């Protein structure tokens, strides 16, 4: 049976493109898409009591794959257990604009360019540099206070006037 509606307003509990299988459903909770096996693949929530609107994605097996959430404070979050953001066009790479905070470890699998960091911005580096400076200072102190002594006997090569040139001589000391 085919029904055609023209103009006006339709108010109802559920609007759907089919009773089963591949379809789209819309109601007061939002919009949902289903695949040919009747599994919910995408859900767009119109909002919640806490003001969060979201798009939730499910994998082909029906399990949770990830979500995008929009909050009242203009925040936007993107979540998934395995999130990949990519570009198939290396001539037009992905850009992140503005300040970025990484709340976990960061690993680069290739070269990195265009990053300017001061030593104080690298986490843990100040402790390493402090320890290294302490070791350098200790070595410098040891080097500056280190001395050697050499004792040479007095001999005159047959000239009795040359008898006072031998003795103990010190090298090194403060620089």
């Amino acid at each position: 049976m085919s029904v055609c509606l023209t103009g006006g307003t339709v108010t109802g509990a559920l609007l759907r493109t089919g009773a089963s299988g591949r379809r789209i459903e819309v109601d007061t909770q939002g919009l949902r898409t289903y695949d040919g096996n009747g599994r919910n693949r995408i859900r767009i929530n119109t909002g919640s009591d806490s003001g969060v609107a979201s798009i939730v994605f499910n994998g082909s097996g029906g399990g949770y794959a990830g979500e995008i959430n929009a909050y009242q404070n203009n925040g936007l979050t993107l979540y998934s257990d395995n999130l990949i953001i990519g570009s198939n066009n290396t001539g037009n790479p992905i850009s992140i604009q503005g300040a970025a905070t990484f709340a976990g470890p960061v690993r680069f699998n290739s070269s990195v360019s265009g990053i300017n960091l001061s030593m104080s911005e690298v986490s843990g580096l100040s402790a390493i540099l402090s320890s290294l400076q302490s070791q350098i200072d200790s070595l410098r102190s040891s080097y500056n206070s280190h001395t050697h002594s050499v004792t040479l006997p007095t001999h005159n090569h047959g000239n009795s006037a040359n008898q006072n040139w031998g003795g103990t001589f010190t090298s090194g000391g403060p620089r």
Side-chain angles (χ1 to χ4, degrees):
M1 175 173 96
S2 176
V3 176
C4 179
L5 299 174
T6 305
T9 301
V10 175
T11 303
L14 175 65
L15 174 64
R16 64 183 180 190
T17 59
S20 63
R22 187 183 305 266
R23 67 188 183 279
I24 296 172
E25 295 182 353
V26 180
D27 60 18
T28 60
Q29 297 300 309
L31 181 141
R32 292 166 306 284
T33 67
Y34 294 87
D35 64 16
N37 294 315
R39 286 186 291 256
N40 181 210
R41 297 297 303 276
I42 301 171
R43 185 175 71 239
I44 300 174
N45 297 322
T46 57
S48 67
D49 292 339
S50 60
V52 180
S54 64
I55 303 174
V56 178
F57 300 90
N58 294 316
S60 59
Y64 173 83
E67 63 189 80
I68 301 170
N69 298 296
Y71 297 91
Q72 289 179 4
N73 64 356
N74 299 325
L76 186 68
T77 60
L78 179 61
Y79 289 105
S80 177
D81 290 340
N82 186 16
L83 180 64
I84 298 170
I85 299 173
S87 171
N88 292 328
N89 181 352
T90 57
N92 191 16
I94 296 167
S95 297
I96 297 174
Q97 183 176 354
T101 300
F102 296 92
V106 176
R107 182 181 73 219
F108 297 97
N109 292 333
S110 188
S111 62
V112 176
S113 63
I115 295 177
N116 296 312
L117 297 172
S118 68
M119 294 297 191
S120 64
E121 292 174 308
V122 179
S123 176
L125 188 58
S126 62
I128 293 169
L129 291 175
S130 177
S131 175
L132 182 59
Q133 185 63 53
S134 176
Q135 292 175 20
I136 290 170
D137 292 344
S138 175
L139 289 170
R140 182 176 287 132
S141 175
S142 294
Y143 173 75
N144 286 340
S145 62
H146 185 77
T147 62
H148 288 276
S149 308
V150 176
T151 301
L152 300 173
T154 299
H155 65 279
N156 61 16
H157 294 276
N159 182 344
S160 60
N162 290 335
Q163 295 216 11
N164 294 326
W165 70 273
T168 300
F169 301 92
T170 301
S171 66
R175 309 252 183 270

